[in-house]
Amino acid sequence: MIRVASVPADHPYVAHLSPTGETPGDGCDEVIRLPDPPVIADDGSTRWWPPRILDPAWLREHAGEFDVLHVHFGFESFSPEHLREVVDVAHELGKGVVVTVHDLRNPHIEDPAAQLSRLDALVPAADAVITLTQGAADAIQARWGRDAVVVRHPHIVPLDVMAALLLDDTSSRTNRADARSSDDSTAAPARNDRRRIGLHLKSLRTNVDAAGALDALALVADERPDVEIVVTMHRAVADPTDRGHDACVVERAEALAARGAITLVLHEPMDDATLFAFVGGLDVSVMANVWGTHSGWIEMCHDLGVRVVAPNIGFYGEQHAPVLYDLAGRGDEAEDGAAASEDATVDARRLADTILVAVDQGRAAPADVAERRDERDAGARVHSEIYRASIPTR
């Protein structure tokens, strides 16, 4: 049995590093992951971040409960010096340290150096390094001289939900697309024969050019009145009293909705079931990120059979072949995979043209459930082997 202190544990990616239990000899009982130590937020709710596991005092206090420290993400609130101390203490305690490089550039932080400086503390000192694509592995080798093991991103959508998708007909798929969240009275418009494009802005993450994407959708609406365009965003974005409020984006979206170019859906954060239902009712999902490395959104859309239009950044193109478009002012990719230009924006014309190509291609086929299961079980076996090799011999 290998006990892993995972940062974090409560995340779909990490949950799907465990085997399905459906494959003989998959090492199902070899690895257990500790639950995230709860962090009490200001409103009294609990969450996993900033992760308490990344506290040298926590490591020492709980040294008898884990064998391997595995860092995925959520470490941006700690300095490089602090992270070096965390690795040093884990090694001092006789623990293995594994780092999975999900992001060479943090999607929440504008300064690309912020993520790289933290990775400078983690990657060279780790006993093993994992990443999700060969392009990222090459970038890791170029910057740190480390050979990262490539393990593809596991499925996001639960396998039973994916299996149900294959059995559903057009009518039931429509019902899922129109499902209402338990805390939200707003739903997607009724499904019809028009192809549906979706742009999910959520809470306007730092790396999203919402204005540029809305301008692109306006062009699509003018040139293809036969398509249906749905734009969603969290209610907080439209609330002037909320710190996430963005008046310019809201006004632009409302103006497009007023002239019938888009349907605007304001909602509370969706739970997974509602999100899968909503996105599963799309033909094309548009991403408006202007920097990034890998994308769980692309993986989710692949599971659901939704075609993705994505910017040609990071290593998105190595994840299930999304339809790619180039950003404006991007410059060349740096060796480490971070965009050389910090002023990249969505070029509305380029994005609109790419959306039109994707619309003509239509929906993608849902992911093959057996293949996704086999990928997950293979990834679980690789992780088990890496954990075992990382533990110092006593």
Side-chain angles (χ1 to χ4, degrees):
M1 180 70 69
I2 302 172
R3 304 163 300 169
V4 179
S6 179
V7 181
D10 184 17
H11 188 278
Y13 172 91
V14 178
H16 294 166
L17 297 181
S18 297
T20 62
E22 299 176 20
T23 303
D26 61 7
C28 191
D29 296 323
E30 287 190 5
V31 175
I32 60 169
R33 291 176 173 84
L34 276 59
D36 295 304
V39 176
I40 308 301
D42 292 341
D43 61 3
S45 63
T46 59
R47 62 191 190 195
W48 62 263
W49 74 91
R52 290 171 55 197
I53 289 176
L54 295 182
D55 179 346
W58 189 97
L59 295 177
R60 290 191 173 96
E61 182 179 349
H62 297 271
E65 300 173 21
F66 72 100
D67 306 298
V68 176
L69 171 64
H70 189 168
V71 181
H72 290 276
F73 39 78
F75 50 82
E76 60 268 19
S77 51
F78 301 105
S79 69
E81 293 74 22
H82 178 97
L83 295 173
R84 287 190 188 93
E85 182 184 2
V86 166
V87 175
D88 288 346
V89 168
H91 283 153
E92 170 193 314
L93 296 169
K95 311 302 180 183
V97 177
V98 177
V99 173
T100 294
V101 179
H102 293 261
D103 302 305
L104 286 161
R105 184 166 180 188
N106 191 306
H108 302 282
I109 300 175
E110 289 190 33
D111 181 8
Q115 181 78 351
L116 291 172
S117 66
R118 290 168 172 84
L119 291 173
D120 284 343
L122 292 170
V123 172
D127 298 295
V129 180
I130 301 170
T131 193
L132 313 182
T133 58
Q134 186 58 49
D138 293 343
I140 290 166
Q141 172 58 232
R143 183 177 179 92
W144 293 289
R146 296 299 305 268
D147 292 325
V149 178
V150 177
V151 181
R152 291 185 63 84
H153 198 302
H155 63 96
I156 289 289
V157 179
L159 294 173
D160 59 343
V161 175
M162 291 169 57
L165 275 173
L166 295 175
L167 299 175
D168 282 346
D169 59 18
T170 303
S171 175
S172 61
R173 200 168 276 201
T174 297
N175 291 336
R176 285 202 318 278
D178 297 334
R180 293 174 184 267
S181 168
S182 59
D183 60 358
D184 183 20
S185 61
T186 306
R191 182 78 160 142
N192 50 45
D193 291 335
R194 300 163 67 195
R195 289 190 172 170
R196 178 181 286 176
I197 302 165
L199 172 66
H200 287 67
L201 295 175
K202 297 186 178 181
S203 57
L204 299 186
R205 185 183 272 185
T206 308
N207 68 336
V208 170
D209 181 3
L214 289 170
D215 288 347
L217 292 176
L219 293 173
V220 172
D222 289 341
E223 297 168 25
R224 286 291 297 270
D226 57 313
V227 303
E228 182 179 6
I229 302 172
V230 183
V231 175
T232 73
M233 66 179 74
H234 290 174
R235 289 189 183 280
V237 177
D239 181 357
T241 66
D242 193 276
R243 64 181 182 179
H245 176 61
D246 190 317
C248 293
V249 169
V250 173
E251 288 172 7
R252 195 170 307 206
E254 289 178 339
L256 290 175
R259 69 178 178 88
I262 67 170
T263 297
L264 178 61
V265 180
L266 301 177
H267 62 92
E268 298 303 322
M270 297 180 186
D271 59 28
D272 285 346
T274 304
L275 178 64
F276 300 154
F278 202 114
V279 176
L282 302 175
D283 296 290
V284 175
S285 177
V286 177
M287 296 177 63
N289 302 11
V290 294
W291 70 80
T293 307
H294 299 116
S295 169
W297 190 268
I298 292 175
E299 299 290 336
M300 177 189 68
C301 288
H302 173 68
D303 293 341
L304 296 170
V306 177
R307 198 168 300 282
V308 179
V309 171
N312 187 16
I313 57 174
F315 308 103
Y316 287 6
E318 295 186 37
Q319 294 181 264
H320 310 294
V323 185
L324 298 174
Y325 66 94
D326 289 326
L327 298 171
R330 176 167 168 262
D332 296 326
E333 282 287 305
E335 262 191 348
D336 52 29
S341 169
E342 296 181 38
D343 301 319
T345 58
V346 169
D347 181 296
R349 182 68 265 170
R350 289 180 194 169
L351 175 53
D353 288 343
T354 309
I355 292 170
L356 294 173
V357 169
V359 167
D360 288 339
Q361 292 176 349
R363 284 184 64 94
D368 184 284
V369 177
E371 287 183 5
R372 287 302 243 174
R373 181 192 62 232
D374 291 347
E375 285 176 357
R376 172 173 167 176
D377 287 340
R381 286 193 295 274
V382 172
H383 276 78
S384 178
E385 293 165 3
I386 289 172
Y387 291 152
R388 193 168 298 282
S390 74
I391 301 171
T393 302
R394 295 183 177 88

